[in-house]
Amino acid sequence: MTPWLLESLVRRAAAEALSLEPGDIPLVWPRGTGAADGADAASALPPRLAHLAGERGRGPEPGMRAAERIAARLGAMREEGRVDSVAAVADARGFVSAVFTAEQRAALLAAAADGPRFLTGRPWDGAGRWPLSPLHEAGPVAQARRLARADARLRLTAAVDGPAPPPGPGDAEVLWRDPYLDGAAVEPPTPATRVLGTIGEAAARIAFCRSVPERPRETETTGNGLPVLPSAEHPGAWVRLTDDNPAFLLRRVHAHAVSRVRWRAEGAPARSACAGHAAAVRGLLFDGTSAVDAAARREEPHILVRYLEALARAYDEWWSCPAAGTDPAEDAPDPALPAAVAGTLRTGLFLLGVSAPTRL
């Protein structure tokens, strides 16, 4: 079950249950995170439609009544064999919550492994080139930041709107080498080239896209030890090869997930972890589509950066779950999960102009 399919199902049910024209129904992506306990995803569409459906009153009641009608219609459509078997209920917020079958959860992971199509709803097989400015041509660090953010915005827009995007990152092996850390020194030495030579291109692009304001203060940070405008003299955690550096975290987790897929193909046993951590990763994978859409529509690349970080940390928690193997009834072997995480991370990093290493 993908976000695209669930959004379509809820939309159809809403049109029938509330006697609305499909064109009058706004696009509201269902979300995996924040779903009610026991649910895989929830749609906040009903409160948006309550007034169109003639539901009136104060508080959450109008949205709840709309949600109950939509959930009931989904149940009827399922019994009629018109939709896949989604168990839907109206939750306490007036949202429609959906519980997936084991097959639908597996289908979600299989779809996420194809990151471009999963995140944007279309193949990346068009012509042209993805924009990627040479950051070393900037003088001040702030100018390099503007170039990196402009690249991310153009790449996000190309991915979700207009003609078919050019081919994506593919499955070729990618090394950890960085053109500014491992190549020849770039001349002339400017603040931008010096910081690139200190933290590298990957960390610079993530650092430049991670914050919200367009004109940040020089001392501003986006977390403990993460300056918005890192310099050669004060790079902060962006220079570290640890998980304190979000760029390192994202690339390390991608490399681990790809390695796990490779080891599994070579005969390694499937990883078991508690069902709760597996569900958390699936919920974040489900949210990838809405994160990319919001980042592109609002022209705010930090939305994508923060989403990728949340996914990477959830994967780490799944992998290192101390409860794995302690309760066979609660263990959730999920051999498809690393491939899904790898596909989503690789595509998200690509949209930010950052390479994704494939080996630890």
Side-chain angles (χ1 to χ4, degrees):
M1 176 61 65
T2 66
W4 302 92
L5 180 54
L6 184 58
E7 192 278 333
S8 174
L9 293 178
V10 174
R11 176 184 294 269
R12 286 168 54 194
E16 294 183 17
L18 306 179
S19 301
L20 298 174
E21 292 295 327
D24 294 333
I25 300 177
L27 171 64
V28 177
W29 289 113
R31 299 291 305 276
T33 54
D37 289 343
D40 291 277
S43 171
L45 179 63
R48 300 278 298 274
L49 299 179
H51 69 288
L52 295 177
E55 299 286 2
R56 301 186 183 279
R58 295 180 179 274
E61 289 79 8
M64 176 62 75
R65 290 194 293 269
E68 290 171 345
R69 293 165 64 183
I70 294 172
R73 189 66 226 154
L74 275 169
M77 293 164 66
R78 183 181 67 222
E79 292 176 1
E80 295 165 4
R82 297 170 52 205
V83 302
D84 204 355
S85 52
V86 176
V89 297
D91 66 28
R93 301 164 297 180
F95 295 178
V96 172
S97 288
V99 179
F100 300 159
T101 64
E103 291 76 14
Q104 289 168 339
R105 290 169 182 164
L108 167 66
L109 297 181
D114 181 359
R117 187 183 290 273
F118 177 72
L119 293 176
T120 66
R122 55 186 185 156
W124 292 10
D125 56 3
R129 297 171 61 91
W130 292 91
L132 194 68
S133 303
L135 299 185
H136 62 266
E137 293 185 357
V141 175
Q143 183 181 8
R145 181 176 183 268
R146 287 193 292 272
L147 290 175
R149 292 168 73 82
D151 286 343
R153 286 170 173 143
L154 289 171
R155 292 164 81 95
L156 281 162
T157 299
V160 304
D161 193 23
D171 297 323
E173 183 168 327
V174 177
L175 303 179
W176 282 87
R177 294 183 64 84
D178 188 282
Y180 298 108
L181 292 177
D182 305 315
V186 178
E187 299 293 341
T190 65
T193 59
R194 292 178 64 221
V195 75
L196 288 167
T198 301
I199 67 175
E201 181 176 19
R205 288 187 180 275
I206 297 294
F208 295 154
C209 289
R210 191 175 192 262
S211 56
V212 179
E214 291 302 310
R215 299 183 181 278
R217 300 184 303 273
E218 289 190 5
T219 58
E220 193 168 342
T221 68
T222 58
N224 202 16
L226 295 170
V228 172
L229 293 171
S231 65
E233 295 76 19
H234 302 288
W238 295 111
V239 77
R240 299 177 193 165
L241 298 181
T242 71
D243 288 352
D244 292 336
N245 176 352
F248 179 82
L249 167 71
L250 296 177
R251 302 173 86 217
R252 176 190 63 75
V253 169
H254 177 267
H256 183 281
V258 171
S259 297
R260 188 65 209 171
V261 172
R262 185 169 58 250
W263 299 335
R264 175 66 177 157
E266 294 170 354
R271 172 68 177 174
S272 292
C274 68
H277 283 105
V281 178
R282 282 199 309 272
L284 280 161
L285 285 168
F286 190 87
D287 288 351
T289 298
S290 62
V292 169
D293 180 67
R297 182 166 33 85
R298 301 179 190 175
E299 297 188 340
E300 295 179 351
H302 76 274
I303 295 174
L304 177 56
V305 174
R306 300 305 179 100
Y307 163 74
L308 295 175
E309 288 181 42
L311 176 60
R313 295 192 187 281
Y315 174 89
D316 262 353
E317 291 177 3
W318 170 79
W319 176 255
S320 60
C321 174
T326 60
D327 185 352
E330 290 296 322
D331 277 0
D334 227 336
L337 194 145
V341 171
T344 302
L345 285 178
R346 178 169 59 251
T347 306
L349 286 168
F350 183 82
L351 289 172
L352 296 167
V354 177
S355 65
T358 52
R359 290 185 180 271
L360 291 170

